Amino acid sequence: MGRPRLVLAVDGGNSKTDVAVISEHGEVLATGRSGPFAPQRDGVAAAVGVVRSALDALDPEVVPEGGFDHVSACLAGADLPVEEEALAREFAARGFGRDVAVRNDTFALLRAGASAAWGVAVVCGAGINAVGVSPTGAVARFPALGRISGDWGGGQGLAEEALWHAVRAEDGRGVPTTLTRLITSHFGTATVEELVLEVHFGRVSEELLHELSPGVLAAAGDGDAVARSLVERQAEEVTAMAEVCLRRLGLLETPTEVVLGGGMLTARDPLLTSLLDSSFAVRTPRAKPVLADLPPIVGAGLLGLEHLGAAEGARARLRARYEPPGRG
């Protein structure tokens, strides 16, 4: 009897890349992790090289010489069909396997968090994005290219907006806010303007601004009016993306799970959580918000197992491997 078919599941994110080798029976044979998956910044070849690095660190016994039977890769930066196709070609050309499916990482969140293969997912981590899949398989999604495609929020966007308000509060154009003290304290500068110049001259990476987002949430919870307005806007953006997906798919009147993931949402900040509950109740009363408690790699693995036609028991075995303590 030959070996079981193997799936390589990949969750490529802005901060890290996870891989898992999964048998068609749902057994996780090996897992690995490497650095950020950033094809739009580093190029397709370098991004796929990050996955190769994670795979090379695994026991060679679990990596088939001829490639995997299926590669299920859910990736940040795979925002457009043309980007998904380019990444799939690179995976195939580098010998990962001939059967490769590349999707945006929001599909992994949806499949990991929803009880069925359809629903809506909104991720709010460093950035923000959403996807919806109907019971018939129709898809609703966004370009998710940042402000140029109408996006607002996530840890990076929230922090940049906080910096904008803090600069104006400091120089007199805006209203006073504790965000000025948050920023100078976090980065160790005498003034907010000093930080702005450090970023401008490249001495502080703009990407580090996302470190401010927990402080912005805390300031909002403590009553700072400017910070609260930003958190209120974030809640509205999350709900708006979910609502648009539901409307496009004709699901506004159908009870539908909306999976919420990404660091800003899974942190369970009391104010943001409360605002989301209120916003969903008003704008999408039939929606059923679900906070993701399984990592996205599970979603990539489930999509891979379903592609192979694996039995329900295999999918349940994979889920059980990652379920948090006390669940079930």
Side-chain angles (χ1 to χ4, degrees):
M1 187 173 181
R3 68 162 175 81
R5 292 176 296 172
L6 298 179
V7 171
L8 174 64
V10 183
D11 168 40
N14 292 310
S15 60
K16 58 168 176 60
T17 299
D18 285 326
V19 300
V21 178
I22 305 167
S23 81
E24 63 182 310
H25 307 303
E27 298 166 325
V28 179
L29 305 180
T31 62
R33 174 171 290 183
S34 54
F37 189 90
Q40 292 163 346
R41 182 191 68 196
D42 301 333
V44 167
V48 176
V50 170
V51 181
R52 183 81 258 174
S53 296
L55 204 57
D56 288 345
L58 302 182
D59 183 346
E61 292 294 321
V62 303
V63 181
E65 288 186 13
F68 291 89
D69 297 283
H70 180 63
V71 178
S72 175
C74 296
L75 309 170
D79 298 312
L80 303 170
V82 65
E83 294 171 328
E84 293 173 338
E85 293 164 6
L87 287 162
R89 287 194 300 270
E90 185 69 17
F91 273 98
R94 308 252 315 237
F96 285 86
R98 291 186 300 274
D99 187 17
V100 180
V102 170
R103 305 174 179 86
N104 184 263
D105 56 348
T106 51
F107 286 90
L109 171 63
L110 174 59
R111 193 64 194 90
S115 60
W118 62 279
V120 170
V122 183
V123 60
C124 188
I128 188 168
N129 197 3
V131 68
V133 178
S134 78
T136 64
V139 173
R141 59 191 295 190
F142 300 89
L145 302 176
R147 291 185 67 88
I148 61 171
S149 62
D151 310 324
W152 187 90
Q156 189 72 19
L158 190 73
E160 289 173 356
E161 200 75 10
L163 179 60
W164 186 89
H165 282 282
V167 169
R168 293 171 66 86
E170 184 175 84
D171 68 19
R173 287 177 291 173
V175 299
T177 171
T178 60
L179 294 176
T180 55
R181 186 167 66 251
L182 164 69
I183 290 169
T184 56
S185 173
H186 182 84
F187 285 100
T189 58
T191 63
V192 179
E193 182 179 321
E194 181 183 338
L195 173 64
V196 170
L197 295 177
E198 291 292 292
V199 172
H200 174 70
F201 288 112
R203 293 189 287 265
V204 172
S205 171
E206 193 168 350
E207 293 181 357
L208 293 178
L209 293 178
H210 79 275
E211 297 174 355
L212 295 170
S213 59
V216 176
L217 291 169
D222 290 340
D224 183 87
V226 172
R228 184 183 176 95
S229 72
L230 298 181
V231 177
E232 289 173 345
R233 183 178 177 187
Q234 184 65 90
E236 285 299 311
E237 288 292 322
V238 170
T239 314
M241 295 191 93
E243 181 184 12
V244 169
C245 287
L246 291 166
R247 183 185 305 115
R248 288 179 181 174
L249 297 173
L251 296 175
L252 277 173
E253 300 304 320
T254 301
T256 302
E257 290 174 322
V258 176
V259 182
L260 304 177
M264 285 199 65
L265 302 184
T266 57
R268 292 178 166 86
D269 175 76
L271 175 60
L272 180 56
T273 299
S274 174
L275 290 169
L276 284 168
D277 288 343
S278 299
S279 186
F280 274 111
V282 171
R283 297 180 64 159
T284 59
R286 304 301 298 275
K288 300 159 62 177
V290 177
L291 194 63
D293 61 359
L294 292 177
I297 192 69
V298 176
L302 289 170
L303 289 167
L305 290 176
E306 288 163 356
H307 178 84
L308 292 183
E312 173 58 36
R315 301 194 291 273
R317 189 173 294 113
L318 174 60
R319 283 184 173 275
R321 164 68 168 74
Y322 285 92
E323 282 182 353
R327 177 179 166 179

